[in-house]
Amino acid sequence: MTVAIVSYGVNNIGSVRRALVDLGADVVLAEHHDALAGADRVVLPGVGAFGEAMARLRAGGWVDALRRLVPQGRPLLGICLGMQMLADSSDENGTHDGLGLIAGRVRRLDALGCSLRIPHVGWNDVEYHGASPLFAKIPQGTDFYFVHSYAFEVGLPDTVRATTAYDVPLVASVQREHVFGTQFHPEKSSRAGRQVLKNFLDYGRC
Amino acid sequence: MLKVRVIPTLLWKDVGLVKGVRFDSWRRVGPVLPAIKVYNSRDVDELILLDITASGDGRAPDHESVSDFADACSVPLTVGGGIRTVEHIAALLRAGADKIAVNTALYEAPEVVNEAARQFGSQCVVASIDVRRAGDGLHVCVSRSGSRDTGCQPLDVAREAVERGAGEILLTSVDRDGTMTGYDIDLLRSLSALPVPVIASGGAGTYADLVAAVCAGGASAVAAASMFHFTEQTPAGAKAALRDAGVPVRHQFAGAVSQS
């Protein structure tokens, strides 16, 4: 099982890499989109600002390469900002186009009705909606580690697979077919996060 | 609901971990990497790693070692010690630290807090405030691993740090550090109205001390070192005790996936 981590100049992919290696994956740090060709799975991490991250993806030719994964049926997991970039657009510091893989828009927490401290940082419990392969074997209400000031507002309700309660419910995970996203950081969510990554590796495996 | 965190603190000196009493009389605890792996395997909420001699020695943080530690860490990792510039912070975040803790620079180069918050976000900037009780019983902040009296009051330093963009306060009582006689609850309470989380540090000896820091001191997280290094009490036991006291804590996930 080869997993490519999209390496487009964002910080801190060491712990994602380590977690996937520990789970038995052959991990490729993809510095160029050509490196996605041989991957069975693709992970899109992300830290920082939406506009700048999308600009880096565009400049590196990643946008088309990532979109091609959908018709090819290869699973993709976006983490944190990586999940947000699956959306159509974001309002972070102006309006920016996303990858458009899961219908929706990324908005600041206060624009979503949140009146608590921003960013939402820390361990928060997650409620799953319907069957989500990412949360197999993980009890309802398990805590995951979040760090974010913006959240995904989905266009199609059935793409929400999990939410977390701050003062308003926030989207914690999305899925459309084999495109997955987690707002939380599985690589920083200890054993439960490790299980999410394992579930991603196991998804669709015969 | 966000959970109250239990955080082992690892003090890093030269090549290994140490623990002292009132920032002195250091005892060797062991090497760093195995300790991080053990705490990870025990499913702790977070780890704090402080290089306690970097500022005194005028050294920059050792981001290469931090990179090895961060790779082995599957929970959030805060790194402090010797941070004076935004370049130091950038290097540590690139190395895999999730947050950085600034202490001496709060007094000597506080604009680094503004710049770090602007570039990387408040969520990764922790203001680490060390406090002693002066002869008159009043709290005063100290820097350079407790060796320098700054003459500043904790609330003033904390407020300024938050205004500059710090997203969290690590509040350490030097007098209680390593004594395992309980946190300085008055000190914690004096900062409990701040709009950012306060991590209680210095003095934890029993689970009851952790409960007091949260329930009486208003802390959002409890850090402890000696208690976990030198007694049979564990982070999991600490969380069970907090839960019994009605404090929201993260449930341990006893998943099928083992961690190395």
Side-chain angles (χ1 to χ4, degrees):
Chain A
M1 165 80 58
T2 301
V3 181
I5 301 176
V6 179
S7 178
Y8 59 108
V10 297
N11 287 332
N12 196 6
I13 48 183
S15 47
V16 185
R17 191 186 134 274
R18 175 63 166 267
L20 292 167
V21 169
D22 286 352
L23 289 166
D26 295 320
V27 178
V28 176
L29 292 187
E31 308 271 350
H32 189 274
H33 61 80
D34 287 349
L36 299 189
D40 304 303
R41 301 272 186 284
V42 176
V43 173
L44 177 63
V47 176
F50 191 102
E52 190 191 326
M54 277 305 300
R56 283 172 182 265
L57 288 183
R58 269 193 297 275
W62 289 103
V63 172
D64 289 337
L66 290 166
R67 286 179 177 151
R68 275 198 298 272
L69 297 172
V70 178
Q72 291 166 349
R74 289 191 287 163
L76 169 66
L77 173 64
I79 295 174
C80 197
L81 179 63
M83 165 175 123
Q84 296 180 0
M85 290 193 294
L86 303 174
D88 297 316
S89 69
S90 169
D91 295 348
E92 183 172 354
N93 304 325
T95 303
H96 303 277
D97 287 339
L99 293 167
L101 298 181
I102 293 187
R105 171 178 165 203
V106 175
R107 304 178 69 194
R108 204 174 133 88
L109 298 184
D110 48 8
L112 294 167
C114 169
S115 57
L116 297 180
R117 198 167 60 88
I118 296 174
H120 170 230
V121 184
W123 291 93
N124 206 340
D125 47 287
V126 167
E127 185 187 348
Y128 322 132
H129 307 285
S132 170
L134 277 193
F135 298 103
K137 300 178 186 168
I138 305 174
Q140 271 292 359
T142 295
D143 291 284
F144 291 90
Y145 188 75
F146 291 84
V147 185
H148 61 123
S149 299
Y150 290 76
F152 204 123
E153 184 181 57
V154 298
L156 297 169
D158 68 350
T159 55
V160 177
R161 291 307 153 96
T163 53
T164 189
Y166 200 26
D167 58 341
V168 293
L170 301 173
V171 171
S173 180
V174 292
Q175 181 194 351
R176 188 183 135 216
E177 297 171 3
H178 47 271
V179 178
F180 299 86
T182 64
Q183 181 61 66
F184 56 82
H185 286 271
E187 77 282 12
K188 289 289 165 184
S189 294
S190 196
R191 289 182 195 162
R194 191 67 59 103
Q195 183 70 49
V196 166
L197 293 174
K198 182 173 192 307
N199 290 340
F200 175 65
L201 296 182
D202 289 346
Y203 172 73
R205 236 182 198 173
C206 302
Chain B
M1 183 198 294
L2 286 177
K3 303 305 188 295
V4 168
R5 294 158 286 154
V6 176
I7 309 175
T9 307
L10 306 176
L11 301 180
W12 175 23
K13 183 175 188 287
D14 306 322
V15 295
L17 294 176
V18 296
K19 183 59 205 163
V21 177
R22 299 187 182 91
F23 286 23
D24 203 352
S25 313
W26 301 108
R27 277 166 76 175
R28 290 187 57 79
V29 174
V32 183
L33 195 55
I36 288 176
K37 288 182 174 171
V38 166
Y39 281 123
N40 267 272
S41 72
R42 292 183 182 171
D43 196 21
V44 298
D45 295 333
E46 189 166 328
L47 284 174
I48 295 176
L49 176 66
L50 302 175
D51 183 334
I52 57 168
T53 51
S55 275
D57 296 350
R59 271 187 295 114
D62 174 5
H63 56 86
E64 288 178 9
S65 296
V66 167
S67 178
D68 293 339
F69 304 151
D71 281 1
C73 193
S74 60
V75 296
L77 175 67
T78 299
V79 178
I83 295 170
R84 307 185 67 78
T85 68
V86 78
E87 289 75 25
H88 292 161
I89 293 170
L92 288 170
L93 295 175
R94 260 200 311 275
D98 297 282
K99 310 185 221 181
I100 54 84
V102 176
N103 182 314
T104 297
L106 293 175
Y107 313 96
E108 301 181 9
E111 60 286 348
V112 75
V113 173
N114 305 65
E115 193 52 27
R118 193 185 66 76
Q119 284 192 31
F120 312 113
S122 290
Q123 81 286 342
C124 70
V125 184
V126 180
S128 165
I129 302 176
D130 292 338
V131 181
R132 279 187 202 277
R133 269 187 204 270
D136 54 10
L138 293 176
H139 288 121
V140 63
C141 298
V142 292
S143 68
R144 302 213 170 203
S145 305
S147 66
R148 185 172 295 189
D149 183 342
T150 67
C152 303
Q153 302 302 305
L155 185 57
D156 296 336
V157 173
R159 276 197 183 127
E160 183 183 338
V162 171
E163 277 167 20
R164 289 180 180 276
E168 194 161 39
I169 305 285
L170 171 62
L171 184 61
T172 301
S173 164
V174 179
D175 306 304
R176 300 294 178 93
D177 173 71
T179 64
M180 294 198 275
T181 55
Y183 295 102
D184 184 336
I185 299 296
D186 292 340
L187 174 63
L188 287 169
R189 208 178 271 145
S190 72
L191 264 59
S192 63
L194 286 175
V196 302
V198 173
I199 306 168
S201 167
T206 66
Y207 295 150
D209 295 335
L210 310 183
V211 172
V214 177
C215 297
S220 297
V222 286
S226 297
M227 178 177 157
F228 297 141
H229 291 327
F230 302 136
T231 81
E232 300 202 336
Q233 299 170 103
T234 62
K239 283 200 278 188
L242 287 163
R243 184 179 300 121
D244 289 346
V247 174
V249 290
R250 181 172 72 97
H251 289 265
Q252 304 295 118
F253 171 67
V257 185
S258 64
Q259 283 184 298
S260 62

